[in-house]
Amino acid sequence: MYIVIVGGGQLGRHLAKALIAEGHEILIVEKDKDHCRTIANSIGSVFVNGDGCETAVLANAGVNRADMFISVAAYDEDNLIACQVAKYRFNVPHTICRVRNPKNEEIFKKLGIDTVVCSTKIILQYIEEQVPSNSLSHLTTFKDSVSELVSIRILEDSPTIGHTIRDIKMPEGSELMLLIRGCERPIKPQENTEIASGDQFIVVGLVENADKVRFALTGLF
């Protein structure tokens, strides 16, 4: 199949690598030039530099012949627009849209997106099922077997409580994806976010660095 992916961030690149390994023809549409350089270095010239919401850019990407269109850009609104353009302008048979805000899931479905995947909802459901008693929980390992998604819980005796994310030195290749705090809506951690007891951090990083990630965030071995 020919599959177009909008969004060349970490998720988009992992998707592309996995789909290429399965024999599919892949093209990533990414407007950030730094991300494009990363794609070129890690995967090759399987990208178009441009805004995935623009008709001309998608036309240049050959979306009219795509069997599937996946949008995993940073903002829900961009993913919706990109998928709608692909579906209604280029008649792509199947569109898949990633949303971060669970409230957008049903709305996007009503607006014609074939498949809406709420990453926040999936992660929350998994965490609720597992209810880990320790500070580190392995959620999933990506197909490349090099990177994984982990959940780090801040225990009440963690020395990092009261510190901000700016104070934390994360291992190379690790990225804080999500902070789940009590009943509040999950957020993207910022540099001035203060760590509190009970916080749950979702982190993408190298498998070999899992314990380093736990120590960085919790101060505990």
Side-chain angles (χ1 to χ4, degrees), residues 23-184:
H24 298 291
E25 180 186 358
I26 303 299
L27 186 70
I28 301 173
V29 179
E30 172 56 54
K31 61 183 177 181
D32 186 287
K33 291 184 178 180
D34 288 335
H35 283 333
C36 287
R37 282 191 285 270
T38 301
I39 295 167
N41 293 332
S42 61
I43 308 175
S45 301
V46 292
F47 66 90
V48 167
N49 182 210
D51 190 338
C53 297
E54 295 182 1
T55 302
V57 173
L58 296 186
N60 185 42
V63 173
N64 60 306
R65 67 179 184 86
D67 301 291
M68 184 177 292
F69 184 91
I70 305 171
S71 191
V72 290
Y75 299 103
D76 289 0
E77 296 78 7
D78 289 344
N79 290 328
L80 172 63
I81 293 171
C83 282
Q84 286 189 315
V85 172
K87 185 174 183 65
Y88 298 114
R89 173 64 177 81
F90 296 100
N91 299 311
V92 177
H94 196 94
T95 54
I96 300 176
C97 176
R98 189 272 297 272
V99 299
R100 294 179 182 274
N101 188 343
K103 293 180 180 179
N104 289 333
E105 187 174 5
E106 288 303 317
I107 297 173
F108 283 24
K109 287 179 181 178
K110 291 178 180 178
L111 291 173
I113 308 305
D114 297 301
T115 302
V116 180
V117 180
C118 180
S119 54
T120 301
K121 187 174 180 181
I122 291 172
I123 292 170
L124 285 174
Q125 288 175 341
Y126 187 93
I127 291 173
E128 287 173 0
E129 292 171 2
Q130 297 301 311
V131 191
S133 57
N134 54 31
S135 60
L136 172 65
S137 178
H138 298 270
L139 300 181
T140 186
T141 300
F142 294 108
K143 194 167 182 177
D144 62 7
S145 299
V146 175
S147 305
E148 68 175 342
L149 194 68
V150 299
S151 168
I152 305 292
R153 183 187 296 276
I154 305 300
L155 304 178
E156 59 183 15
D157 58 344
S158 295
T160 55
I161 291 174
H163 291 268
T164 64
I165 298 302
R166 186 184 294 106
D167 302 324
I168 303 301
K169 186 176 181 180
M170 296 292 291
E172 185 177 353
S174 301
E175 182 179 354
L176 294 173
M177 303 300 293
L178 202 66
L179 166 60
I180 303 167
R181 176 174 288 170
C183 297
E184 298 178 14

